PDB file of all heavy atoms in Angstrom:
ATOM      1  N   LYS A1422     109.353  98.831  70.925  1.00  0.00           N
ATOM      2  CA  LYS A1422     109.905 100.147  71.248  1.00  0.00           C
ATOM      3  C   LYS A1422     111.355 100.014  71.900  1.00  0.00           C
ATOM      4  O   LYS A1422     111.862 100.987  72.233  1.00  0.00           O
ATOM      5  CB  LYS A1422     108.890 100.775  72.260  1.00  0.00           C
ATOM      6  CG  LYS A1422     107.652 101.224  71.596  1.00  0.00           C
ATOM      7  CD  LYS A1422     106.601 101.806  72.638  1.00  0.00           C
ATOM      8  CE  LYS A1422     106.969 103.138  73.106  1.00  0.00           C
ATOM      9  NZ  LYS A1422     106.869 104.175  72.021  1.00  0.00           N
ATOM     10  N   GLY A1423     111.755  98.811  72.037  1.00  0.00           N
ATOM     11  CA  GLY A1423     113.074  98.570  72.490  1.00  0.00           C
ATOM     12  C   GLY A1423     113.356  98.367  74.001  1.00  0.00           C
ATOM     13  O   GLY A1423     114.578  98.446  74.484  1.00  0.00           O
ATOM     14  N   TYR A1424     112.285  98.083  74.738  1.00  0.00           N
ATOM     15  CA  TYR A1424     112.491  97.837  76.110  1.00  0.00           C
ATOM     16  C   TYR A1424     113.086  96.529  76.396  1.00  0.00           C
ATOM     17  O   TYR A1424     112.796  95.564  75.681  1.00  0.00           O
ATOM     18  CB  TYR A1424     111.082  98.076  76.868  1.00  0.00           C
ATOM     19  CG  TYR A1424     110.707  99.518  76.948  1.00  0.00           C
ATOM     20  CD1 TYR A1424     109.862 100.004  76.039  1.00  0.00           C
ATOM     21  CD2 TYR A1424     111.099 100.350  77.956  1.00  0.00           C
ATOM     22  CE1 TYR A1424     109.391 101.398  76.196  1.00  0.00           C
ATOM     23  CE2 TYR A1424     110.717 101.627  78.127  1.00  0.00           C
ATOM     24  CZ  TYR A1424     109.867 102.152  77.197  1.00  0.00           C
ATOM     25  OH  TYR A1424     109.475 103.438  77.346  1.00  0.00           O
ATOM     26  N   TYR A1425     113.710  96.398  77.611  1.00  0.00           N
ATOM     27  CA  TYR A1425     114.272  95.157  78.053  1.00  0.00           C
ATOM     28  C   TYR A1425     113.197  94.411  78.861  1.00  0.00           C
ATOM     29  O   TYR A1425     113.083  94.694  80.103  1.00  0.00           O
ATOM     30  CB  TYR A1425     115.561  95.372  78.904  1.00  0.00           C
ATOM     31  CG  TYR A1425     116.146  94.258  79.525  1.00  0.00           C
ATOM     32  CD1 TYR A1425     116.106  92.961  79.025  1.00  0.00           C
ATOM     33  CD2 TYR A1425     116.830  94.375  80.743  1.00  0.00           C
ATOM     34  CE1 TYR A1425     116.737  91.870  79.661  1.00  0.00           C
ATOM     35  CE2 TYR A1425     117.454  93.337  81.436  1.00  0.00           C
ATOM     36  CZ  TYR A1425     117.408  92.043  80.817  1.00  0.00           C
ATOM     37  OH  TYR A1425     117.990  90.998  81.561  1.00  0.00           O
ATOM     38  N   ILE A1426     112.425  93.505  78.255  1.00  0.00           N
ATOM     39  CA  ILE A1426     111.307  92.938  78.839  1.00  0.00           C
ATOM     40  C   ILE A1426     111.330  91.413  79.211  1.00  0.00           C
ATOM     41  O   ILE A1426     112.021  90.684  78.485  1.00  0.00           O
ATOM     42  CB  ILE A1426     110.036  93.288  78.060  1.00  0.00           C
ATOM     43  CG1 ILE A1426     110.185  92.555  76.700  1.00  0.00           C
ATOM     44  CG2 ILE A1426     109.804  94.709  77.981  1.00  0.00           C
ATOM     45  CD1 ILE A1426     108.770  92.702  75.839  1.00  0.00           C
ATOM     46  N   ASN A1427     110.818  91.077  80.330  1.00  0.00           N
ATOM     47  CA  ASN A1427     110.571  89.734  80.633  1.00  0.00           C
ATOM     48  C   ASN A1427     109.070  89.420  80.634  1.00  0.00           C
ATOM     49  O   ASN A1427     108.437  90.062  81.619  1.00  0.00           O
ATOM     50  CB  ASN A1427     111.301  89.456  82.071  1.00  0.00           C
ATOM     51  CG  ASN A1427     110.807  88.191  82.669  1.00  0.00           C
ATOM     52  OD1 ASN A1427     110.708  87.116  81.988  1.00  0.00           O
ATOM     53  ND2 ASN A1427     110.535  88.163  83.997  1.00  0.00           N
ATOM     54  N   VAL A1428     108.527  88.718  79.787  1.00  0.00           N
ATOM     55  CA  VAL A1428     107.062  88.516  79.676  1.00  0.00           C
ATOM     56  C   VAL A1428     106.638  87.296  80.410  1.00  0.00           C
ATOM     57  O   VAL A1428     107.173  86.220  80.171  1.00  0.00           O
ATOM     58  CB  VAL A1428     106.672  88.508  78.222  1.00  0.00           C
ATOM     59  CG1 VAL A1428     105.153  88.384  78.202  1.00  0.00           C
ATOM     60  CG2 VAL A1428     107.041  89.732  77.505  1.00  0.00           C
ATOM     61  N   VAL A1429     105.686  87.414  81.376  1.00  0.00           N
ATOM     62  CA  VAL A1429     105.085  86.201  82.043  1.00  0.00           C
ATOM     63  C   VAL A1429     103.562  86.268  81.692  1.00  0.00           C
ATOM     64  O   VAL A1429     102.803  87.151  82.065  1.00  0.00           O
ATOM     65  CB  VAL A1429     105.325  86.320  83.542  1.00  0.00           C
ATOM     66  CG1 VAL A1429     104.740  85.079  84.170  1.00  0.00           C
ATOM     67  CG2 VAL A1429     106.818  86.506  83.834  1.00  0.00           C
ATOM     68  N   ASN A1430     103.231  85.364  80.843  1.00  0.00           N
ATOM     69  CA  ASN A1430     101.860  85.335  80.352  1.00  0.00           C
ATOM     70  C   ASN A1430     100.965  84.735  81.493  1.00  0.00           C
ATOM     71  O   ASN A1430     101.024  83.497  81.717  1.00  0.00           O
ATOM     72  CB  ASN A1430     101.640  84.426  79.072  1.00  0.00           C
ATOM     73  CG  ASN A1430     100.228  84.353  78.692  1.00  0.00           C
ATOM     74  OD1 ASN A1430      99.308  85.082  79.085  1.00  0.00           O
ATOM     75  ND2 ASN A1430      99.924  83.341  77.853  1.00  0.00           N
ATOM     76  N   THR A1431     100.265  85.701  82.086  1.00  0.00           N
ATOM     77  CA  THR A1431      99.446  85.175  83.302  1.00  0.00           C
ATOM     78  C   THR A1431      97.979  85.364  82.960  1.00  0.00           C
ATOM     79  O   THR A1431      97.175  85.166  83.852  1.00  0.00           O
ATOM     80  CB  THR A1431      99.859  86.038  84.531  1.00  0.00           C
ATOM     81  OG1 THR A1431      99.664  87.442  84.255  1.00  0.00           O
ATOM     82  CG2 THR A1431     101.225  85.755  84.939  1.00  0.00           C
ATOM     83  N   VAL A1432      97.653  85.433  81.737  1.00  0.00           N
ATOM     84  CA  VAL A1432      96.265  85.269  81.325  1.00  0.00           C
ATOM     85  C   VAL A1432      95.826  83.823  81.622  1.00  0.00           C
ATOM     86  O   VAL A1432      96.502  82.894  81.047  1.00  0.00           O
ATOM     87  CB  VAL A1432      96.010  85.647  79.885  1.00  0.00           C
ATOM     88  CG1 VAL A1432      94.503  85.355  79.476  1.00  0.00           C
ATOM     89  CG2 VAL A1432      96.325  87.115  79.576  1.00  0.00           C
ATOM     90  N   CYS A1433      94.822  83.581  82.359  1.00  0.00           N
ATOM     91  CA  CYS A1433      94.451  82.225  82.709  1.00  0.00           C
ATOM     92  C   CYS A1433      93.986  81.374  81.538  1.00  0.00           C
ATOM     93  O   CYS A1433      93.369  81.961  80.589  1.00  0.00           O
ATOM     94  CB  CYS A1433      93.309  82.265  83.752  1.00  0.00           C
ATOM     95  SG  CYS A1433      92.645  80.734  84.263  1.00  0.00           S
ATOM     96  N   ASN A1434      94.424  80.082  81.502  1.00  0.00           N
ATOM     97  CA  ASN A1434      94.031  79.272  80.415  1.00  0.00           C
ATOM     98  C   ASN A1434      92.555  79.119  80.279  1.00  0.00           C
ATOM     99  O   ASN A1434      92.020  79.062  79.125  1.00  0.00           O
ATOM    100  CB  ASN A1434      94.614  77.822  80.639  1.00  0.00           C
ATOM    101  CG  ASN A1434      96.101  77.762  80.396  1.00  0.00           C
ATOM    102  OD1 ASN A1434      96.714  78.539  79.681  1.00  0.00           O
ATOM    103  ND2 ASN A1434      96.755  76.767  80.904  1.00  0.00           N
ATOM    104  N   ALA A1435      91.866  79.199  81.335  1.00  0.00           N
ATOM    105  CA  ALA A1435      90.421  79.033  81.298  1.00  0.00           C
ATOM    106  C   ALA A1435      89.840  80.257  80.742  1.00  0.00           C
ATOM    107  O   ALA A1435      88.857  80.277  80.040  1.00  0.00           O
ATOM    108  CB  ALA A1435      89.881  78.910  82.799  1.00  0.00           C
ATOM    109  N   THR A1436      90.473  81.429  80.902  1.00  0.00           N
ATOM    110  CA  THR A1436      90.011  82.701  80.307  1.00  0.00           C
ATOM    111  C   THR A1436      90.227  82.631  78.813  1.00  0.00           C
ATOM    112  O   THR A1436      89.297  83.085  78.014  1.00  0.00           O
ATOM    113  CB  THR A1436      90.750  83.884  80.854  1.00  0.00           C
ATOM    114  OG1 THR A1436      90.512  83.990  82.244  1.00  0.00           O
ATOM    115  CG2 THR A1436      90.411  85.211  80.222  1.00  0.00           C
ATOM    116  N   GLU A1437      91.409  82.124  78.346  1.00  0.00           N
ATOM    117  CA  GLU A1437      91.669  82.071  76.915  1.00  0.00           C
ATOM    118  C   GLU A1437      90.684  81.133  76.256  1.00  0.00           C
ATOM    119  O   GLU A1437      90.036  81.444  75.215  1.00  0.00           O
ATOM    120  CB  GLU A1437      93.033  81.483  76.717  1.00  0.00           C
ATOM    121  CG  GLU A1437      94.223  82.445  77.035  1.00  0.00           C
ATOM    122  CD  GLU A1437      95.555  81.893  76.732  1.00  0.00           C
ATOM    123  OE1 GLU A1437      95.806  81.391  75.585  1.00  0.00           O
ATOM    124  OE2 GLU A1437      96.435  81.864  77.584  1.00  0.00           O
ATOM    125  N   GLU A1438      90.460  79.964  76.891  1.00  0.00           N
ATOM    126  CA  GLU A1438      89.546  78.990  76.450  1.00  0.00           C
ATOM    127  C   GLU A1438      88.100  79.498  76.281  1.00  0.00           C
ATOM    128  O   GLU A1438      87.338  79.351  75.235  1.00  0.00           O
ATOM    129  CB  GLU A1438      89.465  77.767  77.239  1.00  0.00           C
ATOM    130  CG  GLU A1438      90.778  76.950  77.179  1.00  0.00           C
ATOM    131  CD  GLU A1438      90.829  75.741  78.176  1.00  0.00           C
ATOM    132  OE1 GLU A1438      89.946  75.793  79.076  1.00  0.00           O
ATOM    133  OE2 GLU A1438      91.703  74.929  77.978  1.00  0.00           O
ATOM    134  N   ARG A1439      87.647  80.219  77.383  1.00  0.00           N
ATOM    135  CA  ARG A1439      86.302  80.768  77.285  1.00  0.00           C
ATOM    136  C   ARG A1439      86.188  81.874  76.343  1.00  0.00           C
ATOM    137  O   ARG A1439      85.090  81.891  75.659  1.00  0.00           O
ATOM    138  CB  ARG A1439      86.024  81.339  78.739  1.00  0.00           C
ATOM    139  CG  ARG A1439      84.563  81.777  78.997  1.00  0.00           C
ATOM    140  CD  ARG A1439      84.458  82.259  80.467  1.00  0.00           C
ATOM    141  NE  ARG A1439      84.372  81.085  81.368  1.00  0.00           N
ATOM    142  CZ  ARG A1439      85.413  80.750  82.053  1.00  0.00           C
ATOM    143  NH1 ARG A1439      86.513  81.492  82.079  1.00  0.00           N
ATOM    144  NH2 ARG A1439      85.265  79.655  82.949  1.00  0.00           N
ATOM    145  N   GLN A1440      87.157  82.630  76.137  1.00  0.00           N
ATOM    146  CA  GLN A1440      87.077  83.789  75.134  1.00  0.00           C
ATOM    147  C   GLN A1440      87.057  83.200  73.694  1.00  0.00           C
ATOM    148  O   GLN A1440      86.216  83.693  72.840  1.00  0.00           O
ATOM    149  CB  GLN A1440      88.205  84.748  75.287  1.00  0.00           C
ATOM    150  CG  GLN A1440      88.168  85.517  76.615  1.00  0.00           C
ATOM    151  CD  GLN A1440      89.363  86.466  76.740  1.00  0.00           C
ATOM    152  OE1 GLN A1440      90.318  86.316  76.076  1.00  0.00           O
ATOM    153  NE2 GLN A1440      89.325  87.325  77.812  1.00  0.00           N
ATOM    154  N   GLU A1441      87.874  82.184  73.429  1.00  0.00           N
ATOM    155  CA  GLU A1441      87.920  81.582  72.081  1.00  0.00           C
ATOM    156  C   GLU A1441      86.600  80.920  71.823  1.00  0.00           C
ATOM    157  O   GLU A1441      86.129  80.868  70.590  1.00  0.00           O
ATOM    158  CB  GLU A1441      89.143  80.647  71.948  1.00  0.00           C
ATOM    159  CG  GLU A1441      90.537  81.376  71.949  1.00  0.00           C
ATOM    160  CD  GLU A1441      90.537  82.474  70.783  1.00  0.00           C
ATOM    161  OE1 GLU A1441      90.097  82.216  69.652  1.00  0.00           O
ATOM    162  OE2 GLU A1441      90.798  83.676  71.203  1.00  0.00           O
ATOM    163  N   ALA A1442      86.074  80.148  72.850  1.00  0.00           N
ATOM    164  CA  ALA A1442      84.788  79.367  72.597  1.00  0.00           C
ATOM    165  C   ALA A1442      83.665  80.427  72.349  1.00  0.00           C
ATOM    166  O   ALA A1442      82.849  80.098  71.519  1.00  0.00           O
ATOM    167  CB  ALA A1442      84.551  78.534  73.826  1.00  0.00           C
ATOM    168  N   ALA A1443      83.737  81.481  73.089  1.00  0.00           N
ATOM    169  CA  ALA A1443      82.628  82.557  72.799  1.00  0.00           C
ATOM    170  C   ALA A1443      82.741  83.105  71.491  1.00  0.00           C
ATOM    171  O   ALA A1443      81.761  83.311  70.812  1.00  0.00           O
ATOM    172  CB  ALA A1443      82.814  83.575  73.894  1.00  0.00           C
TER     173      ALA A1443
END
Side-chain angles (χ1 to χ4, degrees):
K1422 291 176 75 68
Y1424 286 95
Y1425 173 33
I1426 60 174
N1427 166 42
V1428 181
V1429 184
N1430 175 17
T1431 54
V1432 176
C1433 177
N1434 287 339
T1436 296
E1437 290 183 52
E1438 291 173 347
R1439 191 176 286 101
Q1440 290 176 355
E1441 288 307 311

